[in-house]
Amino acid sequence: MSSPDPEQRRAHFRLRYPEFERPLFVTPIGEFSVAELSEGGLRLSLMADHWSHGERLAGELRLVSESVSVAGQFLRQSDDEVVLVLDPGVSLRHMLLEQKRLIRKYPALYGPKSRQGKD
């Protein structure tokens, strides 16, 4: 099997959360469930017809271990999810802590045979 085309590789590992384990992104306009997290972005579960491309949003990402201040721009919407590109984003340390916690708690979902974050 050949290695993926370098242009097709993702810049950051993505961690997809099961619905019952999702952190919250808390903003002045509301609280949103985080479906997917990476160092450089968030995928939120919501419809956002009132947001426009490039609009900026800042808030607090509430992880199990701690809360992190993040800010980002609205990139796109697909189905019932919205993607924000973060700047500043989440540290690699936070990503690894979240990944380890989920692997320990849900080995069948996040174990070595899972395709988590490899799409």
Side-chain angles (χ1 to χ4, degrees):
M1 191 189 240
S2 65
S3 64
D5 180 356
E7 292 181 17
Q8 293 298 315
R9 291 186 195 154
R10 301 213 180 260
H12 301 288
F13 171 78
R14 297 178 306 153
L15 184 59
R16 187 86 178 166
Y17 286 91
E19 194 168 334
F20 44 87
E21 279 288 337
R22 292 180 174 172
L24 288 177
F25 179 50
V26 181
T27 73
I29 62 171
E31 296 182 359
F32 307 103
S33 175
V34 177
E36 192 172 84
L37 176 64
S38 78
E39 291 169 81
L42 295 176
R43 184 179 300 266
L44 306 174
S45 296
L46 72 125
M47 295 298 291
D49 295 331
H50 58 282
W51 288 352
S52 57
H53 181 75
E55 186 172 342
R56 194 132 175 93
L57 190 61
E60 181 179 71
L61 177 62
R62 292 193 181 157
L63 304 171
V64 170
S65 59
E66 64 186 288
S67 294
V68 180
S69 292
V70 295
Q73 288 185 330
F74 178 84
L75 179 65
R76 69 176 179 275
Q77 178 173 345
S78 60
D79 300 324
D80 60 347
E81 294 182 328
V82 167
V83 175
L84 295 179
V85 176
L86 297 178
D87 179 29
V90 179
S91 73
L92 179 58
R93 181 181 75 80
H94 286 107
M95 289 297 301
L96 292 175
L97 287 172
E98 283 294 285
Q99 182 184 26
K100 286 178 187 178
R101 181 182 68 79
L102 290 171
I103 287 171
R104 263 188 250 117
K105 196 167 181 179
Y106 305 102
L109 287 175
Y110 296 97
K113 299 203 186 244
S114 148
R115 293 204 29 86
Q116 177 68 24
K118 296 181 183 174
D119 300 326

